[in-house]
Amino acid sequence: MSAIRLLVLGAVKQHGRAHGYQVRNDLEYWGAHEWSHAKPGSIYHALKQMAKQGLLHAHEVAPSAVGGPPRVEYELTGSGTEEYFALLREALTTYDQKMDVLSAAIGFMVDLPREEAAELLRRRVRALDEWRAAVTEYYTPEGGPEQLGHIGEIMHMWVHSADAGKEWTLGLIERIEGGAYVFAGEGDPFVGVLAEGEENPYAS
Amino acid sequence: MSAIRLLVLGAVKQHGRAHGYQVRNDLEYWGAHEWSHAKPGSIYHALKQMAKQGLLHAHEVAPSAVGGPPRVEYELTGSGTEEYFALLREALTTYDQKMDVLSAAIGFMVDLPREEAAELLRRRVRALDEWRAAVTEYYTPEGGPEQLGHIGEIMHMWVHSADAGKEWTLGLIERIEGGAYVFAGEGDPFVGVLAEGEENPYAS
DNA sequence: CAGCTGCTAGTCAAACTTGACTAAGGCGCA
DNA sequence: TGCGCCTTAGTCAAGTTTGACTAGCAGCTG
């Protein structure tokens, strides 16, 4: 799974309705251009592709209010919302050692109920343990680990990083269970960026 | 930088001359199919592309000795060797937070002299420090870090992982400077896999 | 007020990645 | 000996990613 679809779906969902440049800006605000493949081309491509697949509904072209070419606005469909939550749950659960996907998922985790987020992260910890065991076992040849020579350093690095990932995940679970942040169904959700003239529909 | 070019160049170089399937097998032995985009298609594509760019010389098609379609054998050219070392040095030095590239580089680091490898890794540590500082600074808004809400967890994760990466790198530098492994110009190099009928030209 | 710069919004071709498919020979075995 | 299956070696089309490019409008500036 690449992080782009999750990021784009999440960004569009936060606005309710968004055009490409808005998504692009959102992701930049998130710093996503630094840690994911969220270049303009990828974003516009993802929007079009997902519109073709029925995950997004493309509204008629509207002339831009602030200059530049006209915009196409997108909105999540029913299956788009399903896909979004499926991707989000998977990203929180599995350890596929790609931090961009996890980063995106952390950013959107508050769309889930608190207890579910914590549970998915606990599953993530289990996946990490399994992966660690698989690496150490698979790469322990008959003649002892020395036989691998410097190649063993690669496994060493992966194990080290898996341990660090586990430590961080456990910390996050603790913070979540300790009441940090605002999750789904707990009042005013957190919204990163609002566009021109857009109102926070949840503002009191 | 994707890891594929480095991996393919390194694999071909280790054999002196290799065909696609051999590279594919090497990388599988390394476990590279697990941590990089080293699928068959990518490997054959990289071989062809680099041959077109003059980094590899494609030898005439030879009928396979063991069945299957005929093979094309590749060999590093002069500029291929230059490119290989350039990629290797860059991969060891920069912190681009992509572990596949670093993994590949660790696998080939012994192609460099010991002192150079250690120096490149020390530079890597400095890059890590800088990156860590940039993240913490950039993502500390006026209103204090709480203002970010759960988004701060993303930065937290990156910082945590940078710290883990630094710790591991320092450990590796220590081992290298302590005399571990066999580097360029120090006698019999380490070779992962030998193909059918291939002899280790360095064997005593 | 012509020209320059910068922002908004998006397109496009070229390169890369993916996963499924092809094709040829050898091996076991009933 | 004929059949299915495995391994070897590679191709291909569809999808994705990249980085450079286009184009409209606004504000300044000399």
Side-chain angles (χ1 to χ4, degrees):
Chain A
M1 191 204 339
S2 95
I4 286 223
R5 288 184 157 232
L6 180 55
L7 283 168
V8 169
L9 284 174
V12 172
K13 179 166 172 296
Q14 252 182 22
H15 288 290
R17 207 182 224 243
H19 51 96
Y21 195 69
Q22 219 162 21
V23 171
R24 196 167 150 180
N25 263 21
D26 262 41
L27 298 190
E28 222 152 288
Y29 173 83
W30 278 47
H33 56 300
E34 299 236 344
W35 45 260
S36 76
H37 306 289
K39 326 253 189 247
S42 307
I43 292 168
Y44 287 109
H45 173 77
L47 284 169
K48 277 179 193 163
Q49 208 58 25
M50 294 198 292
K52 206 159 72 179
Q53 289 170 19
L55 303 179
L56 293 174
H57 174 68
H59 287 274
E60 278 315 296
V61 173
S64 165
V66 290
R71 316 146 152 183
V72 182
E73 296 208 309
Y74 295 92
E75 196 174 359
L76 261 74
T77 62
S79 50
T81 308
E82 271 173 47
E83 175 76 357
Y84 170 67
F85 280 105
L87 287 177
L88 178 53
R89 291 192 173 101
E90 195 194 329
L92 284 172
T93 306
T94 68
Y95 177 59
D96 54 359
Q97 73 254 28
K98 275 174 219 110
M99 293 230 287
D100 58 339
V101 181
L102 180 58
S103 300
I106 296 303
F108 295 128
M109 69 179 174
V110 292
D111 274 342
L112 299 170
R114 182 181 297 272
E115 191 37 56
E116 182 178 3
E119 171 54 26
L120 293 172
L121 288 169
R122 279 193 290 271
R123 262 189 244 168
R124 177 183 178 74
V125 171
R126 285 200 289 281
L128 256 151
D129 281 338
E130 277 160 34
W131 188 80
R132 189 194 201 283
V135 171
T136 33
E137 195 184 346
Y138 181 59
Y139 282 105
T140 308
E142 319 77 46
E146 304 79 29
Q147 202 201 315
L148 277 171
H150 71 284
I151 298 294
E153 288 290 348
I154 299 179
M155 323 317 157
H156 193 260
M157 177 178 67
W158 285 101
V159 168
H160 198 270
S161 117
D163 288 344
K166 178 175 173 180
E167 200 181 299
W168 172 81
T169 310
L170 287 174
L172 176 57
I173 293 173
E174 212 169 287
R175 287 189 286 282
I176 290 175
E177 295 191 324
Y181 313 123
V182 181
F183 283 78
E186 302 180 347
D188 297 359
F190 179 90
V191 175
V193 222
L194 292 176
E196 350 97 33
E198 191 175 5
E199 269 185 53
N200 184 343
Y202 308 101
S204 50
Chain B
M1 190 202 342
S2 97
I4 285 222
R5 287 184 160 234
L6 179 55
L7 284 168
V8 169
L9 284 174
V12 172
K13 180 167 172 296
Q14 254 183 19
H15 288 290
R17 206 185 225 241
H19 51 95
Y21 195 69
Q22 219 162 21
V23 172
R24 196 168 150 180
N25 263 22
D26 262 41
L27 297 191
E28 221 152 290
Y29 173 83
W30 277 49
H33 56 299
E34 300 235 343
W35 45 261
S36 76
H37 307 289
K39 326 255 188 244
S42 307
I43 293 167
Y44 288 108
H45 173 76
L47 284 169
K48 277 182 194 163
Q49 208 58 24
M50 294 198 291
K52 206 159 71 179
Q53 288 170 21
L55 303 179
L56 294 175
H57 173 68
H59 287 273
E60 278 314 295
V61 172
S64 165
V66 291
R71 315 147 153 183
V72 181
E73 297 208 310
Y74 295 93
E75 196 175 358
L76 261 75
T77 62
S79 50
T81 308
E82 271 174 45
E83 174 76 357
Y84 170 67
F85 280 106
L87 287 177
L88 178 52
R89 292 193 173 101
E90 195 193 328
L92 283 172
T93 306
T94 69
Y95 177 59
D96 55 357
Q97 71 255 26
K98 275 175 218 111
M99 293 231 286
D100 57 340
V101 181
L102 180 59
S103 300
I106 296 302
F108 295 128
M109 68 179 173
V110 291
D111 273 342
L112 300 169
R114 181 181 300 272
E115 192 36 57
E116 182 178 2
E119 172 54 27
L120 293 172
L121 288 169
R122 278 192 293 270
R123 259 188 248 169
R124 178 184 178 73
V125 171
R126 285 200 289 281
L128 256 150
D129 281 338
E130 277 160 35
W131 188 79
R132 189 194 200 285
V135 171
T136 34
E137 194 185 344
Y138 181 59
Y139 283 106
T140 308
E142 318 76 48
E146 305 78 31
Q147 201 200 316
L148 277 172
H150 71 285
I151 298 293
E153 288 290 350
I154 298 179
M155 324 316 158
H156 193 262
M157 177 176 68
W158 285 102
V159 168
H160 198 270
S161 118
D163 289 345
K166 178 176 171 178
E167 199 181 300
W168 172 82
T169 309
L170 287 173
L172 176 57
I173 292 173
E174 214 169 287
R175 286 189 287 282
I176 289 175
E177 295 192 324
Y181 314 124
V182 181
F183 283 78
E186 302 181 347
D188 297 0
F190 179 90
V191 174
V193 223
L194 292 176
E196 347 98 31
E198 192 176 4
E199 266 184 57
N200 185 343
Y202 308 100
S204 52

